[in-house]
Amino acid sequence: MNIYIMNIKAFLPAALLVAFFFSCGEKDQVNISQKRNNVIDICGMIEEFPVEEVLIHSGARLFGGDRYLYIEDAMSTDKITSVFSIPDGRYIGQFMDFGAGPNEIASVGSINLVTSEDDGREKAIVVDFGNYRTSVYDVDSALIDSTYTPRRINALDKTYLPSHYVYVNDTLGFTRKITIRPGSTRFGQALGKYNLLTGEITDFAPEEHIEKNQSLFDVSKEAQRVVEVGANVDIVVIYDYEGNVLRRIKGPNYKPVAEGWKSYFSNVKIAGPYILGVYSGGDWNTEGNGKRIEVLDIDGNYIATLDTGREIRDMCYHKPSGILWFSFLNNDMQFGTLNLEEALKQAENKKIKTESAAGNEDADNSGTDSLGDVPPFIFLSKNLQDTLTRFDIGVVRIPKERSETVFPDTVASITIASGNFNDLPGKVDKILFEPTTITPSFLNSRIDIPFMLNGMITLVRIGFTKDAPEGDFQGVVEVPAKGFDKPLILPVSGTIVYD
């Protein structure tokens, strides 16, 4: 058989060994719930990677090989892919013509970079959704020869498409299997295995598929693992190559059903021994792309949360240099780089300091009342999902007659957070609140707490006294509680209008 890219490697014994290792032990090593609270601000550690030689539209995707960084511009109507050397970022050139012709690419589904064992040259395997075919480019030849013709491997089945294909060898790869439904604009998707030579797609761990959840994944060839994260479910699942679940990790916002309006993970990449999951936790329409990276080790153990402060469109990791490359959606920086190990060193140092401070505090508070595992308290919004760090009240309409409401000396009131929480677990009723203060003087507040849900305040109202002036205002609510070093501070703002 003519092998196009690489010879097939034996991997099954190692995969079985990993599965056996995780099956041992008395505790459930597969299903775990995970808190992620070691947050590091890395915005200042990210260095801009300026692209001055060529115009690349916003939203570009990144692909990394051994020698080059590839930036795919889906909006280009000329050359689709720009190439830069790694790690110095020197511009090399462009290749991959856009179009519907026999040697052109209409819509890139995925690009895999592989160093051929036959000639040691870097190859680009390109899945083309628009022309329904898979082609292979010899990168160096394509960059210098304007008449270069890529080699076509096979045609794609128009019923099943390999979205986000990750190459392992010629007959084994993993993909997000897109099922086109005849006569409909809707489609289904789930993980699958893809044979590059035959074009066959078979199901992969179908019993783990969560209905209406968009799955994102990456593959560690060194550890022979597939890591899947949920776009609409806060979950990370680690498989071996045979589809056996090694770890099923439920995040702090996990629910067993997909939330279509919610965006949890928006990307995932394997970076050497680390799993990097881009996390949002916000509304799909406004916060579909995350700004934070949840870092786990290859076994799924939590390490840190890296806050980039920017919407991440894509990223790729260059293992020899340890550099993580970013494509952002923010205007201030389109592309950036991060020394991943340096960022994780900061995370480890913070963790050590936090644990040390916690140990000292425990020693100082021995013999006194303890809050146990109760976290610092926060405001919980009405949808039971989001937390409030700032509350914009909007327009507050106060009747000119200014009749008092249920609050003493109050002519209008606004509820910040409320809801029926009686069926929720985690009641905490040993937190003792001290008098709340609120500024300016024409605002007052009342906190009604039938109980606390894991430290979350479930009902807060802000009142306006008869002295409230018409126009814009800004204020601050401070909620102190016994046992906490600092009060909870919630900035509030709005506009007062008299009807």
Side-chain angles (χ1 to χ4, degrees), residues 199-325:
E200 180 184 12
I201 304 177
T202 57
D203 291 336
F204 179 80
E207 67 280 357
E208 290 296 317
H209 177 64
I210 301 175
E211 186 69 23
K212 297 183 179 180
N213 175 50
Q214 180 183 354
S215 65
L216 308 166
F217 78 98
D218 201 9
V219 177
S220 170
K221 298 172 187 177
E222 291 81 5
Q224 297 181 359
R225 298 185 188 182
V226 178
V227 178
E228 179 185 23
V229 300
N232 311 106
V233 179
D234 190 357
I235 192 168
V236 178
V237 184
I238 303 175
Y239 307 89
D240 64 18
Y241 276 5
E242 299 305 306
N244 300 305
V245 177
L246 306 179
R247 275 284 176 91
R248 189 181 293 108
I249 305 162
K250 301 173 182 178
N253 298 305
Y254 170 79
K255 290 185 178 180
V257 295
E259 302 172 86
W261 61 275
K262 200 74 171 170
S263 175
Y264 290 109
F265 289 96
S266 58
N267 205 332
V268 63
K269 292 293 169 67
I270 304 296
Y274 306 114
I275 299 168
L276 308 180
V278 179
Y279 192 86
S280 170
D283 186 280
W284 183 274
N285 295 311
T286 58
E287 300 175 271
N289 292 279
K291 299 179 180 180
R292 293 186 169 193
I293 303 173
E294 305 293 355
V295 184
L296 315 180
D297 67 22
I298 201 63
D299 295 323
N301 301 303
Y302 173 72
I303 297 174
T305 299
L306 307 181
D307 188 352
T308 70
R310 299 177 177 90
E311 290 184 88
I312 302 171
R313 170 62 178 93
D314 201 7
M315 58 187 182
C316 72
Y317 179 70
H318 184 241
K319 185 177 179 180
S321 64
I323 298 298
L324 186 64
W325 299 75

Side-chain angles (χ1 to χ4, degrees), residues 108-171:
V108 176
S110 62
I111 301 175
N112 279 262
L113 290 312
V114 178
T115 301
S116 171
E117 291 187 348
D118 296 331
D119 58 15
R121 294 165 69 89
E122 196 156 275
K123 315 291 183 180
I125 308 171
V126 184
V127 176
D128 181 1
F129 284 169
N131 294 319
Y132 292 98
R133 58 178 176 244
T134 303
S135 303
V136 176
Y137 290 77
D138 182 290
V139 175
D140 289 325
S141 296
L143 286 170
I144 63 175
D145 184 358
S146 61
T147 64
Y148 176 80
T149 300
R151 183 170 65 249
R152 180 173 171 177
I153 296 183
N154 58 48
L156 299 179
D157 189 322
K158 295 186 179 181
T159 305
Y160 302 99
L161 294 177
S163 171
H164 186 63
Y165 162 61
V166 178
Y167 174 93
V168 176
N169 58 51
D170 285 355
T171 59

Side-chain angles (χ1 to χ4, degrees), residues 476-495:
V476 175
V477 180
E478 294 187 19
V479 186
K482 185 178 181 180
F484 293 97
D485 294 333
K486 299 179 180 179
L488 170 62
I489 298 177
L490 181 71
V492 296
S493 60
T495 303

Side-chain angles (χ1 to χ4, degrees), residues 221-462:
K221 298 172 187 177
E222 291 81 5
Q224 297 181 359
R225 298 185 188 182
V226 178
V227 178
E228 179 185 23
V229 300
N232 311 106
V233 179
D234 190 357
I235 192 168
V236 178
V237 184
I238 303 175
Y239 307 89
D240 64 18
Y241 276 5
E242 299 305 306
N244 300 305
V245 177
L246 306 179
R247 275 284 176 91
R248 189 181 293 108
I249 305 162
K250 301 173 182 178
N253 298 305
Y254 170 79
K255 290 185 178 180
V257 295
E259 302 172 86
W261 61 275
K262 200 74 171 170
S263 175
Y264 290 109
F265 289 96
S266 58
N267 205 332
V268 63
K269 292 293 169 67
I270 304 296
Y274 306 114
I275 299 168
L276 308 180
V278 179
Y279 192 86
S280 170
D283 186 280
W284 183 274
N285 295 311
T286 58
E287 300 175 271
N289 292 279
K291 299 179 180 180
R292 293 186 169 193
I293 303 173
E294 305 293 355
V295 184
L296 315 180
D297 67 22
I298 201 63
D299 295 323
N301 301 303
Y302 173 72
I303 297 174
T305 299
L306 307 181
D307 188 352
T308 70
R310 299 177 177 90
E311 290 184 88
I312 302 171
R313 170 62 178 93
D314 201 7
M315 58 187 182
C316 72
Y317 179 70
H318 184 241
K319 185 177 179 180
S321 64
I323 298 298
L324 186 64
W325 299 75
F326 291 102
S327 172
F328 294 116
L329 294 175
N330 297 69
N331 293 329
D332 69 320
M333 185 184 296
Q334 185 178 12
F335 301 105
T337 63
L338 173 72
N339 187 313
L340 182 59
E341 288 295 344
E342 288 299 320
L344 293 179
K345 284 180 182 178
Q346 285 201 15
E348 180 63 22
N349 291 337
K350 179 183 176 182
K351 181 180 179 181
I352 293 172
K353 290 179 180 178
T354 301
E355 292 175 349
S356 176
N360 293 335
E361 184 176 345
D362 290 342
D364 293 339
N365 294 332
S366 60
T368 62
D369 293 338
S370 171
L371 294 177
D373 295 329
V374 178
F377 52 101
I378 53 179
F379 285 118
L380 180 66
S381 65
K382 293 183 180 181
N383 61 11
L384 308 186
Q385 298 292 328
D386 303 316
T387 58
L388 297 172
T389 57
R390 170 176 288 276
F391 186 68
D392 184 9
I393 295 174
V395 176
V396 180
R397 299 189 178 276
I398 299 179
K400 290 183 178 180
E401 298 179 359
R402 305 188 187 186
S403 57
E404 291 189 358
T405 66
V406 293
F407 289 143
D409 302 319
T410 301
V411 294
S413 63
I414 298 293
T415 299
I416 291 183
S418 66
N420 181 12
F421 306 93
N422 294 326
D423 296 330
L424 295 176
K427 179 176 179 180
V428 178
D429 45 16
K430 61 182 178 181
I431 297 181
L432 301 178
F433 285 91
E434 297 172 357
T436 300
T437 60
I438 185 168
T439 55
S441 59
F442 62 81
L443 300 179
N444 59 33
S445 64
R446 173 179 292 179
I447 300 181
D448 297 327
I449 309 172
F451 59 85
M452 295 280 294
L453 177 66
N454 293 335
M456 296 181 180
I457 298 176
T458 58
L459 180 57
V460 179
R461 293 192 182 99
I462 290 182

